[in-house]
């Protein structure tokens, strides 16, 4: 079985990093719970551009925290299936190298040949895609699993996994 796994908000806590950077810069105390059902910037629309700038800051992608359970479960899945990391990495200048370095550190068992850092996921062909963005799942011709993130809690129409323990149970 060929399994594609997204990085941001599936393996790496991008959402939490946005909140942390926002709170640090503005002396705020924004939480994930306050943002449920939307993007971080939607809670503070007056700072939308500042939050968007995080993506362009050196170290943003390199210093993300792994999502709980992702390393252990993905290692088990990689022993059973053909696992590829499929992540959009062309839009932000630093993301390509930083995502590669991040994977080296946190997921060294995923060989560089099994890393697809691309611009659009519609080209993926395989059995399963785990992603937090429904627009990536819409065009996938295999089994689509929506990984829960604060921004997608109201999205319906997809098989869903709320945690990596649930991913392990599904696969």
């Amino acid at each position: 079985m060929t399994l594609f796994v997204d990085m941001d908000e599936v393996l790496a806590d991008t959402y939490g990093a946005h909140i942390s950077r926002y709170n640090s810069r503005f002396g705020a105390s924004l939480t994930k719970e306050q943002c449920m059902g939307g993007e971080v910037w939607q809670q503070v629309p007056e700072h939308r551009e500042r939050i968007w700038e995080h993506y362009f800051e050196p170290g943003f992608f390199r210093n993300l925290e792994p999502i709980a359970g992702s390393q252990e479960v993905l290692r088990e899945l990689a022993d059973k299936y053909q696992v590829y990391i499929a992540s959009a990495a062309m839009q932000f200048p630093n993301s390509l190298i930083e995502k590669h370095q991040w994977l080296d550190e946190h997921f060294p068992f995923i060989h560089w040949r099994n890393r697809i850092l691309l611009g659009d996921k519609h080209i993926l062909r395989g059995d399963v895609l785990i992603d937090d963005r429904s627009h990536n799942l819409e065009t996938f011709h295999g089994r689509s699993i929506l990984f829960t993130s604060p921004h997608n809690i109201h999205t319906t129409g997809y098989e869903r996994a709320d945690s990596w323990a649930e991913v392990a149970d599904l696969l």
Side-chain angles (χ1 to χ4, degrees):
M1 180 165 69
T2 300
L3 170 64
F4 297 109
V5 181
D6 178 37
M7 280 183 67
D8 299 318
E9 284 311 293
V10 177
L11 297 176
D13 187 9
T14 312
Y15 204 94
H18 282 301
I19 291 172
S20 178
R21 283 180 184 234
Y22 171 78
N23 286 342
S24 177
R25 291 204 173 117
F26 291 98
S29 56
L30 190 63
T31 66
K32 279 188 180 182
E33 291 72 29
Q34 291 172 301
C35 298
M36 295 303 270
E39 304 292 343
V40 174
W41 66 265
Q42 290 174 313
Q43 290 302 311
V44 287
E46 67 277 15
H47 296 291
R48 178 183 184 162
E49 294 305 316
R50 290 297 307 270
I51 292 170
W52 184 256
E53 289 171 5
H54 296 166
Y55 290 117
F56 295 92
E57 294 171 4
F60 179 75
F61 293 98
R62 180 67 183 93
N63 296 312
L64 297 172
E65 292 296 321
I67 299 286
S70 61
Q71 293 161 300
E72 299 80 10
V73 173
L74 199 59
R75 180 182 294 276
E76 291 173 14
L77 294 174
D79 288 340
K80 296 190 320 191
Y81 308 123
Q82 220 176 359
V83 174
Y84 292 88
I85 305 304
S87 184
M90 307 324 272
Q91 186 176 10
F92 309 111
N94 299 319
S95 69
L96 183 65
I97 186 66
E98 289 187 10
K99 286 184 176 191
H100 180 66
Q101 293 167 338
W102 188 88
L103 286 165
D104 281 347
E105 178 181 348
H106 298 287
F107 295 85
F109 53 91
I110 302 293
H111 194 275
W112 63 265
R113 288 185 180 113
N114 287 49
R115 300 174 186 178
I116 305 168
L117 302 174
L118 65 153
D120 191 332
K121 294 181 187 173
H122 79 278
I123 65 166
L124 298 175
R125 298 291 181 262
D127 299 299
V128 179
L129 171 60
I130 303 171
D131 206 300
D132 66 300
R133 298 282 174 183
S134 58
H135 70 268
N136 291 323
L137 300 174
E138 288 171 2
T139 58
F140 189 68
H141 296 289
R143 181 178 178 189
S144 297
I145 299 174
L146 181 67
F147 194 86
T148 299
S149 174
H151 69 83
N152 70 25
I153 62 167
H154 300 301
T155 302
T156 59
Y158 296 95
E159 183 175 15
R160 182 182 286 273
D162 292 330
S163 67
W164 274 94
E166 287 187 20
V167 168
D169 290 342
L170 291 171
L171 301 175

